[in-house]
Amino acid sequence: MAWFKRNKQALKKVKIPEGSWIKCEGCKEIVYRKEIERNLKVCPKCEYHFRIDARERINLLFDEGSFIEADEAITSGDPLSFKDSMPYKERLKFNAQKTGLNEAAVSGTAAVGGRTVSVIIMDFSFMGGSMGSAVGEKIVRAVERAIEQKTPLITVSSSGGARMQEGIFSLMQMARASAAIGRLKNSSIPYISILADPTFGGVTASFAMLGDVIIAEPRSLIGFAGPRVIEQTIKQQLPDNFQRAEFLLEHGLIDMVVHRREIKAMIGKILSHLTLPE
Amino acid sequence: MRYYLEFEKPVQELELKIEELKRLSNGSDLKISAEIKKLEKKARELHSQTFADLTPWQKTLVARHPERPYTLDYINMMAADFVELRGDRRFSDDPALVGGFARVGQFPVLILGHQKGRGVKERISRNFGQPQPEGYRKAMRLMRLAERFKKPVITLIDTPGAYPGIGAEERGQAEAIANNLMEMSQLKVPVISVVIGEGGSGGALAIGVGDRLFMMEHSVYSVISPEGCAAILWKKDGNEIGQQEYALAAGALKLTAQDLLASKVIDEIIPEPLGGANMNPEQAAKNLAEAVTRTLEELSAKPAGKIVEERYRRLKKLGGFVAPKAV
């Protein structure tokens, strides 16, 4: 009866280098890390788009070497003197060291097919891409730059929502960012909003859903309330495809679902349409 | 009998004793009457002391008090000729957010707000004051109508938050809120927002972008509820959390009217009667109407362009960021 016993000796022999295989969050399959990296961090089996950081995103979306960062020195204050397991100020420092970023968003100007654009790229690895005062300020300034310089606005969102540690000030960033977008919409400057996995809460409920054109990456989770909160509230299991990019497309909430590889070309196409006649 | 919160129990005991004595004395015994007077004074003092020392968590509980006046109560008490308008013209009418035209003092206005229900049945039908996207879209439709007829807008905020449900997501809860934030920032009429009870995150802000933000004395306004915040911070590894953690979170979030006035997020605190608005709703409504009409006198004198410009500048100031030093 011992034929099904696990042979510990045999198991030990197989040595897998740390982290060379990863579990895909989309299909739960185990995939070879290098293969994913070669494929723009897209799962070759299910097309799940892994999260990428702001730098990788910039390389992917804009003309080579065209990105010029602005407002990089803007950092969050600590208006609440917030402290949980770690004081908020230390948490910010820790995240800055971890990511090499000052905040959860990078902004500036770049070019797409030679056309100058004003950009904001969120980075989920910095405190879950949460929006506090610094991110809010960067957004407002990038939108105002777009208005002043009459350049299209491109945002890439990936965020858990408003940043709890700045309390009401984070909430107010939703109003500030949306008000700035409102001003942009008084002009003929196009705004393209790109949603990456995941985009939730105060980011979806402000500038991210206000794009003239909204593009989402395949299978990204996008919504207002997080799936766990909804499940706890309604005490039901959620439908399979719930809050995925394809679900939003079906419900008329976004314009298109586009593979990471093709987003840059799509931006160029859209911008070529959203110009005033000569 | 009125509803007492946990920390009001000592007051309740005194008041029950007074009731008992009153019943016994029948108003004839002078000695007992004197005793009653003494006790009544003591109860008042105790009540006033309790309310002067409320912790942020206790304030949250007062803000959610089931007998607190709600939007429609305030409208009934402070406005005349109210005509409720309903429906978003796209999908449905949301009873969790109500509004219509009315007169407050000499001012014709649009007044709208979240509506919690009273009693189990109404609470459920009004979804505990948690709007669906249709509620926000109705609000925006009414605000646009008010703009066309140059009526100032009064919004009363009292919600645990926008409803987190499947239908709400399918119909664009985030877009509905985002659109309100954007459009309210450009409304060409004065907008005054007042948190009358619970200001729950984006669902509250979605009718709260305006020229002035007031809070009733015992109301709260926050990016996340103390319970939600406590769950994120401490509900790990199967830890149980309760009152103690909620109290800590409520303190950390700086969500009381007093905190928010100190940090200049709000413009004014509207005083409540002793023991909270539920103890004397008429007085609370009077105080609210006074603040609103006084502010409308000031704002109505301004041209529309100036109002919109000042609103944007006011919003721009709301940040706790540290900008780089000018080089």
Side-chain angles (χ1 to χ4, degrees):
Chain A
M1 274 302 284
W3 55 271
F4 55 83
K5 246 192 192 166
R6 280 178 154 225
N7 187 338
K8 280 179 189 163
Q9 212 78 47
L11 271 178
K12 266 184 191 162
K13 274 184 197 160
V14 192
K15 269 201 178 163
I16 304 167
E18 189 69 37
S20 65
W21 294 85
I22 44 178
K23 190 174 168 186
C24 170
E25 295 202 20
C27 59
K28 312 284 176 205
E29 292 273 332
I30 307 292
V31 278
Y32 192 42
R33 184 187 284 275
K34 279 209 176 126
E35 197 179 344
I36 286 177
E37 272 161 17
R38 273 198 301 271
N39 198 29
L40 303 174
K41 294 206 175 165
V42 175
C43 173
K45 294 191 173 133
C46 74
E47 296 280 282
Y48 172 77
H49 285 45
F50 283 81
R51 289 167 196 165
I52 58 176
D53 63 35
R55 301 283 153 200
E56 293 171 297
R57 183 70 67 181
I58 287 164
N59 291 337
L60 206 66
L61 286 186
F62 308 119
D63 299 351
E64 206 184 325
S66 69
F67 177 72
I68 302 165
E69 187 168 2
D71 305 322
E72 66 267 35
I74 290 179
T75 54
S76 270
D78 183 12
L80 267 52
S81 304
F82 198 92
K83 186 173 179 261
D84 47 84
S85 58
M86 185 194 284
Y88 176 47
K89 274 190 177 155
E90 272 174 43
R91 192 172 292 283
L92 286 172
K93 265 189 218 152
F94 170 78
N95 274 275
Q97 273 163 9
K98 188 181 84 176
T99 59
L101 299 170
N102 278 340
E103 256 300 337
V106 174
S107 62
T109 54
V112 179
R115 186 164 175 188
T116 306
V117 290
S118 178
V119 303
I120 303 147
I121 317 281
M122 302 195 86
D123 194 313
F124 194 79
S125 57
F126 191 106
M127 288 189 78
S130 55
M131 176 165 68
S133 311
V135 171
E137 181 67 15
K138 283 185 169 193
I139 293 168
V140 169
R141 290 191 189 193
V143 176
E144 288 185 344
R145 230 175 351 255
I147 297 170
E148 265 162 43
Q149 301 172 358
K150 299 193 172 56
T151 52
L153 177 70
I154 315 274
T155 66
V156 181
S157 300
S158 179
S159 169
R163 185 175 295 170
M164 185 175 75
Q165 289 82 349
E166 287 181 47
I168 197 87
F169 290 99
S170 295
L171 187 70
M172 291 302 159
Q173 303 314 312
M174 295 167 62
R176 298 176 81 216
S178 305
I181 301 283
R183 294 201 142 196
L184 180 115
K185 293 210 176 187
N186 291 336
S187 71
S188 303
I189 296 165
Y191 168 30
I192 302 177
S193 172
I194 297 157
L195 312 178
D197 184 65
T199 303
F200 277 92
V203 168
T204 338
S206 66
F207 67 96
M209 288 307 289
L210 293 173
D212 296 313
V213 176
I214 306 179
I215 302 174
E217 287 194 336
R219 297 195 53 77
S220 317
L221 271 176
I222 301 155
F224 173 64
R228 246 176 306 160
V229 172
I230 298 177
E231 236 164 21
Q232 280 163 13
T233 307
I234 63 172
K235 313 232 170 2
Q236 285 172 40
Q237 252 211 317
L238 299 171
D240 241 3
N241 220 21
F242 188 62
Q243 293 185 322
R244 296 272 173 204
E246 296 74 14
F247 173 94
L248 271 83
L249 183 69
E250 195 183 307
H251 285 93
L253 299 169
I254 58 175
D255 292 281
M256 56 188 90
V257 177
V258 180
H259 192 286
R260 187 169 282 166
R261 186 190 313 120
E262 288 146 13
I263 293 180
K264 183 182 177 186
M266 184 50 81
I267 293 174
K269 257 195 211 168
I270 293 164
L271 292 184
S272 77
H273 290 296
L274 296 182
T275 50
L276 288 174
E278 292 285 319
Chain B
M1 204 181 74
R2 74 182 180 92
Y3 180 94
Y4 290 87
L5 294 165
E6 190 61 38
F7 58 86
E8 291 180 298
K9 288 279 140 82
V11 178
Q12 179 183 19
E13 273 165 30
L14 263 179
E15 287 181 353
L16 284 177
K17 203 164 154 193
I18 293 165
E19 285 296 305
E20 180 81 29
L21 279 174
K22 273 184 180 164
R23 233 180 317 119
L24 284 174
S25 77
N26 239 341
S28 57
D29 193 327
L30 281 175
K31 213 171 153 193
I32 295 182
S33 306
E35 180 68 11
I36 289 173
K37 276 217 175 97
K38 224 170 81 189
L39 282 176
E40 277 176 337
K41 189 169 171 247
K42 200 173 157 197
R44 258 199 314 278
E45 280 169 3
L46 184 65
H47 209 177
S48 126
Q49 196 52 47
T50 308
F51 268 75
D53 298 339
L54 288 182
T55 65
W57 175 237
Q58 288 169 337
K59 285 243 182 206
T60 309
L61 297 174
V62 175
R64 297 173 183 167
H65 196 291
E67 286 163 6
R68 217 174 149 75
Y70 296 146
T71 291
L72 286 175
D73 300 320
Y74 278 115
I75 291 176
N76 283 334
M77 291 184 287
M78 67 186 260
D81 306 329
F82 178 60
V83 178
E84 186 181 350
L85 302 177
R86 296 174 59 172
D88 72 339
R89 300 292 192 272
R90 295 172 188 191
F91 185 73
S92 74
D93 179 51
D94 186 352
L97 209 161
V98 298
F101 289 97
R103 256 171 273 278
V104 176
Q106 78 272 34
F107 292 99
V109 296
L110 169 73
I111 186 162
L112 59 88
H114 304 100
Q115 179 65 30
K116 293 180 175 176
R118 220 172 284 289
V120 177
K121 216 172 145 193
E122 200 201 343
R123 266 173 203 281
I124 291 170
S125 75
R126 297 206 183 267
N127 203 17
F128 306 89
Q130 303 169 97
Q132 304 275 354
E134 292 72 37
Y136 297 116
R137 292 184 178 130
K138 166 170 70 179
M140 207 57 243
R141 176 175 81 83
L142 299 186
M143 287 189 267
R144 284 293 180 210
L145 189 55
E147 183 181 46
R148 271 174 58 207
F149 294 93
K150 298 193 164 55
K151 305 286 187 252
V153 175
I154 315 294
T155 72
L156 305 181
I157 295 170
D158 191 16
T159 181
Y163 186 63
I166 294 178
E169 295 288 325
E170 286 176 328
R171 302 191 303 278
Q173 186 72 285
E175 189 274 343
I177 295 171
N179 190 58
N180 277 24
L181 302 181
M182 181 174 76
E183 298 215 8
M184 281 187 86
S185 74
Q186 303 219 341
L187 272 187
K188 293 183 186 70
V189 289
V191 180
I192 302 172
S193 298
V194 187
V195 183
I196 56 170
E198 218 180 346
S201 198
L205 183 67
I207 57 164
V209 179
D211 306 299
R212 294 288 186 278
L213 178 57
F214 299 157
M215 284 176 79
M216 296 301 289
E217 188 180 346
H218 302 304
S219 66
V220 294
Y221 195 5
S222 176
V223 69
I224 188 169
S225 69
E227 293 94 326
C229 176
I232 288 173
L233 294 182
W234 299 298
K235 204 173 176 176
K236 288 170 190 152
D237 319 315
N239 283 346
E240 284 297 312
I241 54 169
Q243 298 289 319
Q244 209 182 341
E245 285 77 19
Y246 303 156
L248 273 174
L253 287 168
K254 304 240 166 37
L255 44 60
T256 68
Q258 293 69 26
D259 286 330
L260 295 176
L261 184 69
S263 54
K264 299 199 173 87
V265 173
I266 65 166
D267 303 282
E268 192 177 321
I269 294 175
I270 300 173
E272 290 187 28
L274 173 62
N278 55 297
M279 293 297 290
N280 187 349
E282 290 287 340
Q283 186 60 48
K286 229 169 127 183
N287 297 352
L288 176 53
E290 186 279 322
V292 164
T293 47
R294 167 167 43 80
T295 311
L296 283 180
E297 266 164 41
E298 182 201 334
L299 293 176
S300 300
K302 293 183 182 183
K306 199 175 177 207
I307 283 189
V308 175
E309 192 54 41
E310 284 183 1
R311 189 180 302 146
Y312 188 68
R313 262 187 274 143
R314 182 180 175 281
L315 273 177
K316 276 189 72 172
K317 277 192 259 167
L318 290 172
F321 71 94
V322 179
K325 287 193 187 88
V327 184

